[in-house]
Amino acid sequence: MRICIVDAFTDRPFSGNPAGVLLLESAAFPDAERLQEIATEVNLSETAFAHPLPPGGEADWALRWFTPATEVDMCGHATLATAHVLHTTGRATGTVRFTARCGILTSTARPDGSLTLDFPTAPLREETAPPGLAEALGAEPVSVHDTGEHIGDLLVELRDEATVRALAPDFAALVAHSRRGIIATAAAEDPALGYDFVSRGFFPGVGIDEDPVTGSAHTALAPFWSARFGRDDLTGLQASARSGLVRTALRGGRTLLTGTAVTVIDGELLTTF
């Protein structure tokens, strides 16, 4: 079975966020235990599994995502990676519709080679910072927001970009503070550099201490910063060691995430289901 490793939200290899992608020929997914074993073996922040659906339905492909430790409801970068593989291998053109735990998602190829994902906008709810969060994160929050059912993160606004970049969290302590992880963010120090806000994502509860570029987090970052800046179209920089850019467009209940991807490994999985 063919397996690809794709760097997402980047235009060059060895940056952005790597994802495993397996396109299955079957009409259904194998047992979740088997998918989890493969994702654990691949050992990237996400491995995506997709299989084709019959023509005429509401979606073209069924899609699931697994971290090395668990299945998740929503993943942006592995969806971008999957769409990239479908387009570059000739399995799809134009817009691809996926059905997943979080509903129907789409990916549309753009003339410049980028892909635009259409995801549900996260419903933000401001909360009081829980006791111990500042100590676990290593910085005092300016504000804290819950991001809703499918993401399950705490969105934590910090004082400035330098504070976000300097974070060195206590990952074991962070596990207690959200269902999935912590998104730390601040406004860009210099928007002339090509981005409006920065973020970093920490997800030790699902086996990922720091995620390089988290597409799903931008469905929460987009409404948060669009409200602050008064603009619906923004660009976010996830300031991890690998780094990546996500262009966001808030469209009410939907958020568009645009980025590029690069296949770095194209090989064969030498096992069966």
Side-chain angles (χ1 to χ4, degrees):
M1 182 175 298
R2 190 174 187 177
I3 180 170
C4 295
I5 307 299
V6 177
D7 289 344
F9 292 113
T10 184
D11 59 1
R12 54 191 174 86
F14 314 123
S15 60
N17 199 353
V21 177
L22 286 94
L23 302 182
L24 312 178
E25 299 301 331
S26 59
F29 289 111
D31 290 342
E33 292 79 7
R34 189 60 163 166
L35 300 180
Q36 185 63 71
E37 287 178 337
I38 293 170
T40 302
E41 183 76 10
V42 174
N43 200 33
L44 296 174
S45 59
E46 303 283 353
T47 297
F49 300 88
H51 72 74
L53 295 171
E58 63 178 0
D60 308 303
W61 290 80
L63 181 61
R64 294 170 74 174
W65 313 276
F66 289 76
T67 77
T70 190
E71 186 172 6
V72 297
D73 283 357
M74 181 188 293
C75 178
H77 88 279
T79 304
L80 187 76
T82 302
H84 171 79
V85 171
L86 287 170
H87 284 287
T88 56
T89 59
R91 300 291 297 271
T93 58
T95 296
V96 182
R97 302 168 300 163
F98 299 102
T99 182
R101 278 185 171 188
C102 57
I104 301 297
L105 313 172
T106 66
S107 172
T108 301
R110 298 163 64 96
D112 64 0
S114 64
L115 295 163
T116 295
L117 308 180
D118 184 326
F119 271 47
T121 300
L124 299 180
R125 185 183 72 248
E126 188 163 9
E127 296 188 344
T128 302
L133 175 62
E135 292 77 11
L137 189 58
E140 192 67 37
V142 174
S143 69
V144 175
H145 290 74
D146 181 81
T147 59
E149 175 187 4
H150 291 304
I151 300 182
D153 298 333
L154 283 184
L155 177 63
V156 181
E157 179 190 8
L158 299 179
R159 180 179 60 190
D160 53 30
E161 178 175 337
T163 302
V164 174
R165 289 181 176 274
L167 290 174
D170 179 340
F171 294 118
L174 277 187
V175 173
H177 293 293
S178 73
R179 296 187 302 280
R180 188 182 75 160
I182 303 294
I183 309 163
T185 188
E189 181 178 341
D190 182 4
L193 294 176
Y195 55 92
D196 301 289
F197 60 87
V198 296
S199 67
R200 289 174 67 189
F202 308 108
F203 309 100
V206 293
I208 308 160
D209 284 348
E210 180 167 5
D211 194 39
V213 190
T214 313
S216 61
H218 285 74
T219 66
L221 290 162
F224 179 83
W225 287 112
S226 288
R228 297 293 180 94
F229 295 141
R231 291 185 285 123
D232 289 339
D233 294 9
L234 301 170
T235 299
L237 171 71
Q238 194 148 335
S240 65
R242 291 174 64 102
S243 187
L245 289 172
V246 183
R247 303 202 303 274
T248 67
L250 187 63
R251 300 293 183 262
R254 308 295 294 186
T255 295
L256 306 183
L257 310 172
T258 298
T260 54
V262 181
T263 301
V264 292
I265 296 175
D266 188 346
E268 187 176 358
L269 179 68
L270 299 177
T271 186
T272 61
F273 289 111

